[in-house]
């Protein structure tokens, strides 16, 4: 089995590569990355140590991709992941990476008959509609109300039936949705085996978190180094479900080995309601593990922000039997232990 992982020096790509190689030593795994994300260069030695080949290549360049040759499976984990991308800046890099890059990879997959696993995002669902989901407010978080009028909002969260067409979803979300459409066209018109995973918040040790992407690591790191934080909107009661990278791996590993059972499918993939936290609840966990308490002030929400997103995993669980196993408390502990172990090399990257 020969696998190509695009975005392979990023948090998700490198973690999947290392865990797939550990689980299947006979797999030949090649990771490509343009190393634009600060800290991604630290993952290259980690990949090489585990027997994963790394190539400095950019999916925006069709020439780079054409030189890679044949693969059995391509996992597209490459993206400009910031929800704020393009709102007050140029769209060039966002579109070139998230849409054109995916098309370049699809062309190569089609050339060699490779299966294509696409890591998409819950941000394909319009924030203008998600802002209309009915909520109840508790002392430290929002919860989904029992009575909902919008299709695709279930007792478990947001399902694949939530409409992707009505309203605005951000430039980032639009770029990923456009890529999803191309993945589906390659599946139907050219017979390419494909799976689309619409992921929620993925987190864990090895992630170089920022304000606009990677909030769990950012929150733990800021507490660890006693730095400043703000609740951006909703007074810290906004809620996300958190998916530990180990749990994402267990699903991708299953899909790689069972593509015939999920070919052409789209799945929502996240931590689910039981593994959801508000920022205030995340703050409590960070204080518990670090022993540090910060004064956190509230500011206005940003463009495209939403008060709650919880993944309904019912479809993917029914198809595969997969369910997340690692709780938010386990997640925070893993991140904290990673910071303690690698404080010297991580401080220049995360303590900014």
């Amino acid at each position: 089995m020969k696998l190509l992982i695009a975005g392979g020096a990023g948090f998700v790509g490198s973690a999947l590569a290392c865990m797939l190689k550990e689980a299947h030593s006979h797999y030949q795994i090649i990771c490509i990355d343009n190393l634009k994300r600060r800290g991604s260069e630290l993952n290259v030695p980690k990949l090489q140590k585990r027997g994963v080949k790394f190539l400095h290549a950019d999916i925006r360049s069709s020439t780079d991709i054409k030189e890679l040759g044949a693969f059995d499976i391509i996992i597209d984990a490459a993206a400009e992941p910031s929800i704020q991308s393009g709102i007050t800046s140029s769209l060039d890099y966002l579109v070139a990476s998230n849409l054109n890059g995916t098309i370049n990879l699809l062309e190569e997959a089609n050339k060699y008959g490779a299966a294509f696993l696409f890591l998409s995002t819950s941000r394909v669902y319009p924030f203008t509609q998600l802002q209309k989901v009915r909520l109840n407010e508790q002392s430290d978080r929002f919860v989904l109300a029992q009575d909902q009028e919008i299709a695709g909002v279930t007792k478990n969260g947001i399902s694949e039936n939530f409409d992707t067409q009505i309203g605005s979803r951000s430039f980032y979300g639009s770029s990923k949705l456009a890529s999803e459409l191309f993945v589906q066209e390659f599946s139907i018109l050219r017979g390419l085996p494909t799976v689309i995973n619409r992921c929620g918040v993925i987190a864990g040790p090895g992630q170089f978190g920022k304000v606009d992407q990677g909030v769990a690591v950012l929150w733990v790191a800021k507490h660890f180094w006693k730095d400043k934080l703000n609740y951006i909107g909703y007074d810290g009661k906004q809620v996300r479900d958190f998916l530990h990278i180990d749990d994402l791996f267990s699903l991708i590993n299953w899909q790689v080995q069972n593509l015939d059972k999920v070919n052409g499918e789209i799945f929502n993939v996240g931590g689910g309601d039981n593994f959801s936290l508000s920022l205030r609840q995340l703050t409590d966990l960070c204080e518990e593990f670090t022993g540090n308490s910060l004064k956190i002030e509230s500011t206005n929400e940003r463009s495209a922000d939403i008060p709650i997103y919880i993944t309904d995993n019912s479809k993917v669980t029914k198809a595969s039997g997969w369910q997340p196993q690692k709780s938010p408390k386990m997640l925070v502990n893993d991140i904290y232990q990673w910071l303690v172990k690698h404080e010297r090399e991580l401080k220049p990257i995360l303590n900014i």
Side-chain angles (χ1 to χ4, degrees):
M1 180 78 75
K2 189 175 182 181
L3 284 79
L4 173 69
I5 301 181
F11 163 57
V12 172
S14 64
L16 292 180
C18 290
M19 286 188 274
L20 281 167
K21 187 65 175 177
E22 183 176 351
H24 310 281
S25 59
H26 61 288
Y27 282 11
Q28 183 179 355
I29 303 175
I30 297 176
C31 287
I32 60 171
D33 202 292
N34 65 6
L35 300 179
K36 182 178 184 293
R37 177 83 174 225
R38 188 180 184 193
S40 59
E41 68 280 359
L42 298 178
N43 289 324
V44 175
K46 180 176 70 174
L47 293 168
Q48 295 171 334
K49 182 179 180 180
R50 287 165 174 78
V52 175
K53 185 176 181 180
F54 175 78
L55 296 174
H56 188 270
D58 197 322
I59 64 171
R60 296 176 297 167
S61 167
S62 59
T63 302
D64 281 7
I65 302 304
K66 288 176 182 177
E67 293 177 349
L68 297 173
F71 294 89
D72 298 300
I73 297 175
I74 295 177
I75 299 175
D76 185 2
E80 165 49 62
S82 172
I83 189 65
Q84 298 299 311
S85 295
I87 294 179
T88 59
S89 60
S90 171
L91 290 170
D92 290 351
Y93 184 77
L94 176 73
V95 174
S97 297
N98 293 9
L99 178 55
N100 297 344
T102 296
I103 293 172
N104 287 336
L105 292 169
L106 284 165
E107 291 279 25
E108 288 306 293
N110 180 71
K111 183 189 299 183
Y112 298 108
F116 196 87
L117 271 66
F118 183 58
L119 296 188
S120 188
T121 173
S122 61
R123 284 295 188 167
V124 299
Y125 299 117
F127 68 85
T128 50
Q129 293 301 105
L130 289 169
Q131 289 171 343
K132 299 176 183 177
V133 171
R134 289 183 174 177
L135 306 172
N136 292 323
E137 185 174 355
Q138 298 181 347
S139 60
D140 59 355
R141 64 173 286 161
F142 296 119
V143 296
L144 291 171
Q146 291 295 314
D147 56 323
Q148 299 287 344
E149 294 183 344
I150 300 176
V153 186
T154 74
K155 64 179 182 179
N156 298 317
I158 307 300
S159 76
E160 294 84 356
N161 294 325
F162 198 95
D163 197 333
T164 60
Q165 302 303 312
I166 301 174
S168 173
R169 64 199 56 73
S170 78
F171 290 116
Y172 164 66
S174 295
S175 70
K176 298 296 280 186
L177 182 60
S179 288
E180 283 192 11
L181 295 177
F182 275 92
V183 172
Q184 292 175 73
E185 295 301 332
F186 271 81
S187 175
I188 295 169
L189 298 179
R190 299 190 181 179
L192 198 70
T194 65
V195 181
I196 295 172
N197 295 300
R198 291 173 175 165
C199 300
V201 177
I202 307 168
Q207 187 176 34
F208 303 110
K210 302 189 295 184
V211 172
D212 53 353
Q213 197 270 329
V215 65
V217 170
L218 173 73
W219 225 253
V220 182
K222 293 296 187 182
H223 279 82
F224 184 73
W225 283 299
K226 301 179 184 179
D227 205 351
K228 296 179 180 179
L229 277 174
N230 289 315
Y231 294 128
I232 303 178
Y234 306 109
D235 198 28
K237 295 184 179 183
Q238 61 266 55
V239 170
R240 302 291 186 271
D241 60 336
F242 291 90
L243 180 65
H244 196 293
I245 186 63
D246 291 357
D247 285 326
L248 177 62
F249 161 72
S250 67
L251 175 63
I252 298 301
N253 185 40
W254 184 91
Q255 290 179 345
V256 164
Q257 299 174 80
N258 295 274
L259 281 166
D260 57 320
K261 298 179 182 179
V262 289
N263 183 18
E265 294 290 351
I266 299 174
F267 297 115
N268 282 3
V269 175
D273 188 34
N274 290 336
F275 292 169
S276 67
L277 292 173
S278 70
L279 283 182
R280 287 187 174 272
Q281 291 174 319
L282 180 57
T283 296
D284 291 340
L285 282 178
C286 291
E287 291 179 352
E288 177 182 340
F289 282 99
T290 67
N292 298 327
S293 180
L294 306 180
K295 182 179 180 181
I296 305 177
E297 298 181 352
S298 295
T299 62
N300 294 329
E301 60 263 24
R302 299 169 298 178
S303 300
D305 207 356
I306 52 176
I308 194 169
Y309 186 88
I310 295 174
T311 308
D312 183 345
N313 287 319
S314 299
K315 181 181 177 182
V316 71
T317 298
K318 182 177 180 180
S320 65
W322 172 86
Q323 288 183 320
Q325 301 297 316
K326 291 204 166 184
S327 69
K329 188 168 186 177
M330 296 169 70
L331 170 68
V332 171
N333 178 58
D334 286 352
I335 294 169
Y336 173 69
Q337 296 300 333
W338 173 62
L339 293 174
V340 171
K341 185 176 181 180
H342 302 284
E343 180 176 3
R344 178 178 296 180
E345 61 183 323
L346 295 177
K347 188 172 183 179
I349 298 171
L350 291 172
N351 189 30
I352 56 174

